[in-house]
Amino acid sequence: MTESTFTPRVFSGIKPSGGLTLGNYLGAIKRFVGMQGKVETIYCVVDLHAITVWQDPAQLANMTREVAAGYLAAGLDPTQSILFNQSQVSGHAELGWIFNCVARVGWMNRMTQFKDKAGSNAEKVSLGLYAYPSLMAADILLYHATQVPVGEDQKQHVELTRDIAAKFNHDFKTDFFPITEPVIDGPATRVMNLRDGTKKMSKSGESDMERINMTDDATTIAKKFKKAKTDPAPLPETVEGLATRPEARNLVEIYAALEDTTPEAVIAQYPGAGWGTFKPALADLAVAKLAPISDEMARLMNDPAEIDRILGKGSEKARAIAEPILKKTYEIVGLLRS
Ligand code: TYM
Protein backbone atom coordinates (compact mmCIF):
# COMPACT_ATOMS: atom_id res chain seq x y z
CA MET A 1 0.00 0.00 0.00
CA THR A 2 1.34 3.44 -0.82
CA GLU A 3 0.39 6.78 0.67
CA SER A 4 -2.10 7.46 -2.09
CA THR A 5 -4.03 4.21 -1.61
CA PHE A 6 -5.42 5.30 1.76
CA THR A 7 -8.93 6.74 1.63
CA PRO A 8 -8.74 10.49 2.31
CA ARG A 9 -9.78 11.04 5.90
CA VAL A 10 -9.41 14.08 8.15
CA PHE A 11 -8.79 13.91 11.90
CA SER A 12 -8.15 16.72 14.34
CA GLY A 13 -8.71 17.55 17.98
CA ILE A 14 -8.83 20.25 20.64
CA LYS A 15 -7.95 19.91 24.34
CA PRO A 16 -10.64 20.80 26.86
CA SER A 17 -8.10 22.48 29.12
CA GLY A 18 -9.67 25.94 29.27
CA GLY A 19 -12.06 28.08 27.28
CA LEU A 20 -11.80 28.19 23.49
CA THR A 21 -9.95 31.19 22.07
CA LEU A 22 -10.03 33.06 18.79
CA GLY A 23 -6.80 31.16 18.01
CA ASN A 24 -8.64 27.83 18.32
CA TYR A 25 -11.49 29.17 16.22
CA LEU A 26 -9.47 30.64 13.35
CA GLY A 27 -6.56 28.17 13.46
CA ALA A 28 -8.71 25.08 13.87
CA ILE A 29 -12.51 25.01 14.18
CA LYS A 30 -13.31 27.34 11.27
CA ARG A 31 -11.01 25.31 9.05
CA PHE A 32 -12.53 22.04 10.32
CA VAL A 33 -15.93 23.33 9.16
CA GLY A 34 -14.42 24.19 5.77
CA MET A 35 -13.34 20.57 5.23
CA GLN A 36 -16.65 19.05 6.28
CA GLY A 37 -18.67 17.53 3.46
CA LYS A 38 -15.67 17.39 1.11
CA VAL A 39 -14.02 14.36 2.70
CA GLU A 40 -14.69 12.11 5.71
CA THR A 41 -14.06 14.22 8.82
CA ILE A 42 -13.47 13.12 12.42
CA TYR A 43 -13.16 15.77 15.13
CA CYS A 44 -12.32 14.91 18.69
CA VAL A 45 -12.32 16.61 22.08
CA VAL A 46 -9.03 15.25 23.40
CA ASP A 47 -9.74 14.91 27.11
CA LEU A 48 -6.91 12.41 27.69
CA HIS A 49 -4.51 15.09 26.47
CA ALA A 50 -6.01 17.66 28.83
CA ILE A 51 -5.10 15.59 31.91
CA THR A 52 -1.38 15.72 31.10
CA VAL A 53 -1.60 18.81 33.32
CA TRP A 54 -3.85 18.98 36.37
CA GLN A 55 -7.57 19.32 35.62
CA ASP A 56 -10.20 19.71 38.28
CA PRO A 57 -12.37 16.58 37.97
CA ALA A 58 -15.45 18.65 38.78
CA GLN A 59 -14.76 20.86 35.72
CA LEU A 60 -13.36 18.49 33.12
CA ALA A 61 -16.64 17.04 31.83
CA ASN A 62 -18.09 20.51 31.43
CA MET A 63 -15.03 21.79 29.59
CA THR A 64 -15.30 18.76 27.31
CA ARG A 65 -18.91 19.72 26.61
CA GLU A 66 -17.89 23.32 25.99
CA VAL A 67 -15.40 22.38 23.27
CA ALA A 68 -18.09 20.15 21.74
CA ALA A 69 -20.53 23.08 21.91
CA GLY A 70 -17.92 25.24 20.13
CA TYR A 71 -17.65 22.65 17.35
CA LEU A 72 -21.42 22.47 16.93
CA ALA A 73 -22.06 26.20 17.22
CA ALA A 74 -19.40 26.95 14.59
CA GLY A 75 -21.10 24.65 12.11
CA LEU A 76 -19.86 21.10 12.58
CA ASP A 77 -22.76 18.80 11.93
CA PRO A 78 -22.81 15.41 13.69
CA THR A 79 -24.51 13.85 10.67
CA GLN A 80 -21.61 14.94 8.43
CA SER A 81 -18.63 14.72 10.79
CA ILE A 82 -17.87 12.26 13.57
CA LEU A 83 -17.74 14.30 16.81
CA PHE A 84 -16.67 12.57 20.01
CA ASN A 85 -14.44 12.75 23.05
CA GLN A 86 -11.24 10.76 23.10
CA SER A 87 -11.65 8.90 26.40
CA GLN A 88 -14.79 7.17 25.13
CA VAL A 89 -12.73 5.27 22.54
CA SER A 90 -10.18 3.18 24.43
CA GLY A 91 -8.17 2.49 21.27
CA HIS A 92 -6.47 5.89 21.61
CA ALA A 93 -4.76 4.88 24.85
CA GLU A 94 -4.04 1.37 23.57
CA LEU A 95 -2.40 2.48 20.34
CA GLY A 96 -0.68 5.27 22.29
CA TRP A 97 1.09 2.61 24.36
CA ILE A 98 2.26 0.74 21.29
CA PHE A 99 3.59 4.01 19.86
CA ASN A 100 5.40 4.72 23.14
CA CYS A 101 7.36 1.60 22.28
CA VAL A 102 8.03 2.79 18.71
CA ALA A 103 8.91 6.44 19.34
CA ARG A 104 12.40 7.22 20.66
CA VAL A 105 13.19 9.28 23.74
CA GLY A 106 15.44 11.48 21.59
CA TRP A 107 12.45 12.40 19.41
CA MET A 108 10.44 13.50 22.45
CA ASN A 109 13.39 15.55 23.68
CA ARG A 110 13.22 17.63 20.53
CA MET A 111 9.56 18.65 20.99
CA THR A 112 9.57 22.42 21.41
CA GLN A 113 6.10 22.49 22.96
CA PHE A 114 7.22 20.16 25.75
CA LYS A 115 10.27 22.33 26.38
CA ASP A 116 8.09 25.47 26.49
CA LYS A 117 5.52 23.90 28.81
CA ALA A 118 7.95 22.17 31.10
CA GLY A 119 10.33 25.14 31.24
CA SER A 120 12.84 24.79 34.02
CA ASN A 121 10.49 22.40 35.80
CA ALA A 122 10.99 19.39 33.49
CA GLU A 123 11.66 16.93 36.34
CA LYS A 124 8.34 17.69 37.98
CA VAL A 125 5.89 17.55 35.03
CA SER A 126 3.84 14.42 34.38
CA LEU A 127 5.20 11.55 32.33
CA GLY A 128 2.03 11.96 30.27
CA LEU A 129 3.06 15.46 29.19
CA TYR A 130 6.34 14.05 27.90
CA ALA A 131 4.67 11.16 26.04
CA TYR A 132 1.86 13.41 24.76
CA PRO A 133 3.06 13.46 21.11
CA SER A 134 2.88 9.68 20.82
CA LEU A 135 -0.73 9.74 22.06
CA MET A 136 -1.39 12.41 19.45
CA ALA A 137 0.10 10.13 16.78
CA ALA A 138 -2.25 7.39 18.02
CA ASP A 139 -5.25 9.73 17.74
CA ILE A 140 -4.45 10.32 14.09
CA LEU A 141 -3.28 6.87 13.03
CA LEU A 142 -6.04 4.96 14.85
CA TYR A 143 -8.25 6.19 11.99
CA HIS A 144 -5.60 6.00 9.25
CA ALA A 145 -6.18 9.73 8.86
CA THR A 146 -4.43 11.18 5.82
CA GLN A 147 -4.87 14.88 6.62
CA VAL A 148 -4.70 16.79 9.88
CA PRO A 149 -5.77 20.45 9.92
CA VAL A 150 -3.95 22.23 12.75
CA GLY A 151 -2.47 25.59 13.67
CA GLU A 152 1.23 26.20 13.11
CA ASP A 153 2.08 25.27 16.74
CA GLN A 154 1.12 21.63 16.13
CA LYS A 155 3.24 21.13 13.01
CA GLN A 156 6.11 19.45 14.83
CA HIS A 157 3.71 16.97 16.46
CA VAL A 158 2.24 15.98 13.10
CA GLU A 159 5.75 15.55 11.73
CA LEU A 160 6.49 13.24 14.66
CA THR A 161 3.34 11.30 13.76
CA ARG A 162 4.84 10.77 10.32
CA ASP A 163 8.09 9.56 11.87
CA ILE A 164 6.22 7.12 14.13
CA ALA A 165 4.20 5.74 11.19
CA ALA A 166 7.33 5.36 9.09
CA LYS A 167 9.27 3.63 11.88
CA PHE A 168 6.38 1.28 12.65
CA ASN A 169 6.05 0.40 8.96
CA HIS A 170 9.80 -0.12 8.68
CA ASP A 171 10.24 -2.15 11.90
CA PHE A 172 7.33 -4.47 11.16
CA LYS A 173 7.99 -4.60 7.39
CA THR A 174 4.52 -3.38 6.52
CA ASP A 175 2.86 -0.35 4.97
CA PHE A 176 -0.03 -0.39 7.39
CA PHE A 177 0.00 3.24 8.58
CA PRO A 178 -0.35 6.24 6.23
CA ILE A 179 2.18 9.07 6.24
CA THR A 180 -0.22 11.83 7.29
CA GLU A 181 -0.11 15.36 5.88
CA PRO A 182 -0.45 18.37 8.17
CA VAL A 183 -2.83 20.95 6.66
CA ILE A 184 -1.72 24.40 7.77
CA ASP A 185 -3.24 26.99 5.46
CA GLY A 186 -5.02 30.34 5.46
CA PRO A 187 -4.16 33.67 7.07
CA ALA A 188 -4.46 32.80 10.77
CA THR A 189 -2.58 29.59 11.47
CA ARG A 190 -0.73 31.38 14.26
CA VAL A 191 -2.92 33.96 16.00
CA MET A 192 -0.78 36.00 18.36
CA ASN A 193 -1.32 37.34 21.84
CA LEU A 194 -3.01 40.79 21.79
CA ARG A 195 -0.53 42.23 24.31
CA ASP A 196 2.62 40.77 22.77
CA GLY A 197 2.72 40.01 19.05
CA THR A 198 5.68 37.68 19.45
CA LYS A 199 3.74 35.19 21.62
CA LYS A 200 0.94 32.82 20.60
CA MET A 201 -2.59 33.53 21.80
CA SER A 202 -3.34 30.69 24.21
CA LYS A 203 -6.00 29.47 26.62
CA SER A 204 -3.57 29.59 29.49
CA GLY A 205 -1.91 33.01 29.07
CA GLU A 206 -1.69 35.07 32.27
CA SER A 207 -4.03 37.94 31.41
CA ASP A 208 -7.48 37.65 29.89
CA MET A 209 -6.73 40.81 27.88
CA GLU A 210 -4.22 38.80 25.81
CA ARG A 211 -6.88 36.70 24.16
CA ILE A 212 -10.38 36.76 22.74
CA ASN A 213 -12.45 33.95 24.23
CA MET A 214 -15.21 32.45 22.13
CA THR A 215 -17.59 33.23 24.97
CA ASP A 216 -16.64 36.94 25.30
CA ASP A 217 -19.50 39.40 24.87
CA ALA A 218 -19.48 42.27 22.37
CA THR A 219 -18.29 44.91 24.87
CA THR A 220 -15.39 42.74 26.01
CA ILE A 221 -14.32 41.94 22.44
CA ALA A 222 -14.38 45.66 21.53
CA LYS A 223 -12.41 46.57 24.66
CA LYS A 224 -9.75 43.90 24.05
CA PHE A 225 -9.16 44.99 20.45
CA LYS A 226 -9.12 48.66 21.45
CA LYS A 227 -6.45 47.94 24.06
CA ALA A 228 -4.51 45.54 21.83
CA LYS A 229 -0.85 46.53 21.67
CA THR A 230 0.30 48.09 18.38
CA ASP A 231 3.14 50.28 17.23
CA PRO A 232 2.17 53.91 16.62
CA ALA A 233 2.50 53.87 12.79
CA PRO A 234 -0.67 53.57 10.70
CA LEU A 235 -1.31 50.50 8.51
CA PRO A 236 1.09 50.31 5.56
CA GLU A 237 0.12 50.68 1.91
CA THR A 238 1.17 47.10 1.07
CA VAL A 239 1.46 43.84 3.07
CA GLU A 240 5.24 43.89 2.78
CA GLY A 241 5.10 46.78 5.25
CA LEU A 242 3.79 44.37 7.92
CA ALA A 243 6.84 42.11 7.84
CA THR A 244 8.60 43.66 10.82
CA ARG A 245 5.44 44.72 12.70
CA PRO A 246 4.16 41.60 14.52
CA GLU A 247 1.22 43.26 16.32
CA ALA A 248 -0.03 45.05 13.21
CA ARG A 249 0.37 41.91 11.13
CA ASN A 250 -1.57 39.89 13.69
CA LEU A 251 -4.56 42.24 13.65
CA VAL A 252 -4.61 42.31 9.84
CA GLU A 253 -4.41 38.51 9.70
CA ILE A 254 -7.24 38.15 12.23
CA TYR A 255 -9.36 40.51 10.12
CA ALA A 256 -8.53 38.56 6.95
CA ALA A 257 -9.39 35.20 8.53
CA LEU A 258 -12.68 36.44 10.00
CA GLU A 259 -13.65 37.94 6.65
CA ASP A 260 -12.47 34.89 4.62
CA THR A 261 -10.08 36.97 2.62
CA THR A 262 -6.34 37.65 2.43
CA PRO A 263 -4.12 40.14 4.29
CA GLU A 264 -3.45 41.74 0.85
CA ALA A 265 -7.16 42.43 0.40
CA VAL A 266 -7.45 43.86 3.93
CA ILE A 267 -4.56 46.25 3.31
CA ALA A 268 -6.09 47.22 -0.03
CA GLN A 269 -9.29 48.07 1.85
CA TYR A 270 -7.53 50.05 4.61
CA PRO A 271 -4.33 51.46 3.07
CA GLY A 272 -2.60 53.81 5.50
CA ALA A 273 -5.53 53.63 7.97
CA GLY A 274 -4.90 54.71 11.56
CA TRP A 275 -5.70 52.44 14.53
CA GLY A 276 -8.66 54.67 15.40
CA THR A 277 -10.26 53.46 12.17
CA PHE A 278 -8.99 49.90 11.92
CA LYS A 279 -9.46 48.66 15.50
CA PRO A 280 -13.20 49.52 15.70
CA ALA A 281 -13.74 47.96 12.25
CA LEU A 282 -11.97 44.80 13.44
CA ALA A 283 -13.99 44.73 16.67
CA ASP A 284 -17.27 45.09 14.74
CA LEU A 285 -16.29 42.31 12.37
CA ALA A 286 -15.26 40.02 15.23
CA VAL A 287 -18.50 40.66 17.10
CA ALA A 288 -20.56 40.03 13.94
CA LYS A 289 -18.82 36.70 13.35
CA LEU A 290 -18.41 35.47 16.92
CA ALA A 291 -21.62 36.62 18.64
CA PRO A 292 -23.88 34.11 16.83
CA ILE A 293 -21.42 31.34 17.72
CA SER A 294 -21.17 32.28 21.39
CA ASP A 295 -24.98 32.65 21.63
CA GLU A 296 -25.38 29.19 20.15
CA MET A 297 -22.71 27.77 22.49
CA ALA A 298 -24.63 29.17 25.46
CA ARG A 299 -27.86 27.65 24.17
CA LEU A 300 -26.23 24.25 23.67
CA MET A 301 -24.61 24.35 27.12
CA ASN A 302 -28.10 24.63 28.61
CA ASP A 303 -28.79 21.12 27.36
CA PRO A 304 -25.77 19.05 28.42
CA ALA A 305 -27.67 15.79 27.92
CA GLU A 306 -28.00 16.55 24.21
CA ILE A 307 -24.24 17.23 23.90
CA ASP A 308 -23.53 13.97 25.74
CA ARG A 309 -25.85 12.13 23.39
CA ILE A 310 -24.05 13.54 20.33
CA LEU A 311 -20.63 12.63 21.78
CA GLY A 312 -21.88 9.15 22.67
CA LYS A 313 -23.13 8.51 19.15
CA GLY A 314 -19.94 9.94 17.66
CA SER A 315 -17.88 7.66 19.89
CA GLU A 316 -19.75 4.62 18.55
CA LYS A 317 -18.99 5.66 14.98
CA ALA A 318 -15.36 6.36 15.85
CA ARG A 319 -15.02 2.96 17.54
CA ALA A 320 -16.36 1.23 14.44
CA ILE A 321 -13.49 2.67 12.38
CA ALA A 322 -10.84 2.27 15.08
CA GLU A 323 -11.47 -1.30 16.19
CA PRO A 324 -10.38 -3.16 13.02
CA ILE A 325 -7.31 -0.91 12.72
CA LEU A 326 -6.31 -1.62 16.32
CA LYS A 327 -6.97 -5.34 15.92
CA LYS A 328 -4.71 -5.47 12.86
CA THR A 329 -2.03 -3.48 14.71
CA TYR A 330 -2.03 -6.04 17.54
CA GLU A 331 -1.70 -8.80 14.97
CA ILE A 332 1.23 -7.06 13.24
CA VAL A 333 3.02 -6.54 16.58
CA GLY A 334 2.41 -10.19 17.56
CA LEU A 335 0.23 -9.61 20.62
CA LEU A 336 -1.77 -12.75 21.37
CA ARG A 337 -5.55 -12.49 21.09
CA SER A 338 -7.38 -15.61 22.26
P1 TYM B 1 -4.82 22.71 21.32
O1 TYM B 1 -5.97 22.22 22.11
O2 TYM B 1 -3.74 23.46 22.02
O3 TYM B 1 -5.33 23.60 20.13
C1 TYM B 1 -6.36 23.13 19.28
C2 TYM B 1 -6.14 23.63 17.87
O4 TYM B 1 -6.12 25.06 17.85
C3 TYM B 1 -4.93 25.51 17.23
N1 TYM B 1 -4.48 26.74 17.88
C4 TYM B 1 -4.15 27.85 17.23
N2 TYM B 1 -4.15 28.14 15.93
C5 TYM B 1 -3.76 29.39 15.57
N3 TYM B 1 -3.39 30.33 16.46
C6 TYM B 1 -3.37 30.08 17.79
N4 TYM B 1 -3.01 31.01 18.67
C7 TYM B 1 -3.77 28.78 18.23
N5 TYM B 1 -3.89 28.20 19.44
C8 TYM B 1 -4.33 26.95 19.22
C9 TYM B 1 -3.93 24.39 17.44
O5 TYM B 1 -2.87 24.45 16.50
C10 TYM B 1 -4.80 23.17 17.27
O6 TYM B 1 -4.97 22.87 15.90
N6 TYM B 1 -2.07 18.59 20.66
C11 TYM B 1 -3.22 19.33 20.19
C12 TYM B 1 -4.51 18.55 20.25
C13 TYM B 1 -4.49 17.23 19.59
C14 TYM B 1 -4.55 16.97 18.20
C15 TYM B 1 -4.52 15.55 18.07
C16 TYM B 1 -4.64 17.79 17.08
C17 TYM B 1 -4.41 16.02 20.22
N7 TYM B 1 -4.44 15.01 19.32
C18 TYM B 1 -4.56 14.94 16.82
C19 TYM B 1 -4.66 17.17 15.83
C20 TYM B 1 -4.64 15.76 15.72
C21 TYM B 1 -3.39 20.57 21.04
O7 TYM B 1 -2.92 20.64 22.13
O8 TYM B 1 -4.17 21.52 20.48
Side-chain angles (χ1 to χ4, degrees):
M1 221 188 279
T2 63
E3 201 176 324
S4 58
T5 60
F6 288 92
T7 315
R9 186 178 281 153
V10 168
F11 181 95
S12 199
I14 297 185
K15 283 193 306 276
S17 53
L20 291 169
T21 68
L22 184 64
N24 297 131
Y25 176 61
L26 296 177
I29 301 177
K30 189 168 188 290
R31 297 170 52 234
F32 297 175
V33 177
M35 293 175 111
Q36 177 174 262
K38 298 186 181 134
V39 42
E40 189 178 357
T41 42
I42 307 177
Y43 298 121
C44 187
V45 185
V46 288
D47 47 5
L48 295 175
H49 277 91
I51 61 165
T52 55
V53 299
W54 174 251
Q55 301 296 332
D56 180 352
Q59 301 288 327
L60 184 56
N62 243 355
M63 290 199 299
T64 301
R65 292 188 187 106
E66 192 172 303
V67 174
Y71 281 167
L72 294 163
L76 291 181
D77 171 353
T79 65
Q80 288 195 62
S81 292
I82 297 179
L83 306 180
F84 74 108
N85 61 308
Q86 188 186 23
S87 62
Q88 296 210 63
V89 180
S90 60
H92 291 253
E94 293 178 60
L95 188 60
W97 179 258
I98 292 176
F99 287 167
N100 279 345
C101 302
V102 173
R104 305 289 95 180
V105 166
W107 300 0
M108 298 296 156
N109 287 340
R110 283 196 289 276
M111 293 297 111
T112 55
Q113 202 163 70
F114 176 76
K115 288 189 220 168
D116 290 347
K117 286 196 177 172
S120 53
N121 207 21
E123 295 282 315
K124 298 242 170 80
V125 299
S126 74
L127 185 54
L129 189 68
Y130 188 62
Y132 177 120
S134 80
L135 179 60
M136 179 160 159
D139 300 337
I140 296 167
L141 295 172
L142 186 60
Y143 302 93
H144 277 184
T146 55
Q147 288 160 276
V148 178
V150 280
E152 184 64 43
D153 62 322
Q154 294 299 320
K155 184 166 186 236
Q156 195 185 32
H157 292 158
V158 183
E159 283 165 357
L160 187 98
T161 300
R162 295 163 62 89
D163 291 342
I164 290 178
K167 181 160 164 54
F168 183 99
N169 289 348
H170 174 267
D171 290 355
F172 294 100
K173 299 186 180 46
T174 174
D175 43 19
F176 185 60
F177 286 113
I179 307 299
T180 308
E181 291 294 334
V183 182
I184 304 173
D185 55 11
T189 53
R190 190 169 179 81
V191 176
M192 307 310 273
N193 176 324
L194 297 181
R195 309 296 287 185
D196 178 350
T198 64
K199 287 196 196 140
K200 190 185 72 165
M201 182 183 288
S202 84
K203 297 168 188 149
S204 52
E206 281 156 32
S207 154
D208 198 55
M209 292 300 285
E210 298 173 4
R211 60 180 166 266
I212 304 285
N213 303 302
M214 281 183 72
T215 48
D216 282 345
D217 61 24
T219 320
T220 310
I221 292 176
K223 185 171 86 188
K224 287 179 176 176
F225 278 124
K226 189 165 158 231
K227 299 222 162 174
K229 183 182 164 208
T230 51
D231 55 44
L235 284 181
E237 305 280 333
T238 64
V239 273
E240 287 71 37
L242 293 171
T244 54
R245 299 175 58 192
E247 284 88 11
R249 187 175 64 221
N250 188 38
L251 296 185
V252 169
E253 286 180 353
I254 291 174
Y255 192 107
L258 286 167
E259 187 74 322
D260 276 321
T261 182
T262 60
E264 285 79 0
V266 176
I267 291 295
Q269 196 183 340
Y270 293 97
W275 295 113
T277 305
F278 188 71
K279 281 182 171 178
L282 174 58
D284 287 349
L285 176 64
V287 169
K289 299 283 181 182
L290 298 180
I293 300 176
S294 67
D295 289 352
E296 179 62 5
M297 278 176 76
R299 193 191 66 77
L300 290 162
M301 287 301 283
N302 275 329
D303 190 358
E306 175 61 8
I307 298 180
D308 294 3
R309 193 193 62 78
I310 291 170
L311 294 176
K313 258 215 108 51
S315 302
E316 268 171 41
K317 292 188 205 164
R319 243 177 261 127
I321 301 174
E323 269 166 12
I325 293 177
L326 188 65
K327 183 164 178 274
K328 181 73 188 166
T329 309
Y330 277 12
E331 213 175 277
I332 293 171
V333 175
L335 296 163
L336 177 73
R337 324 299 283 156
S338 62

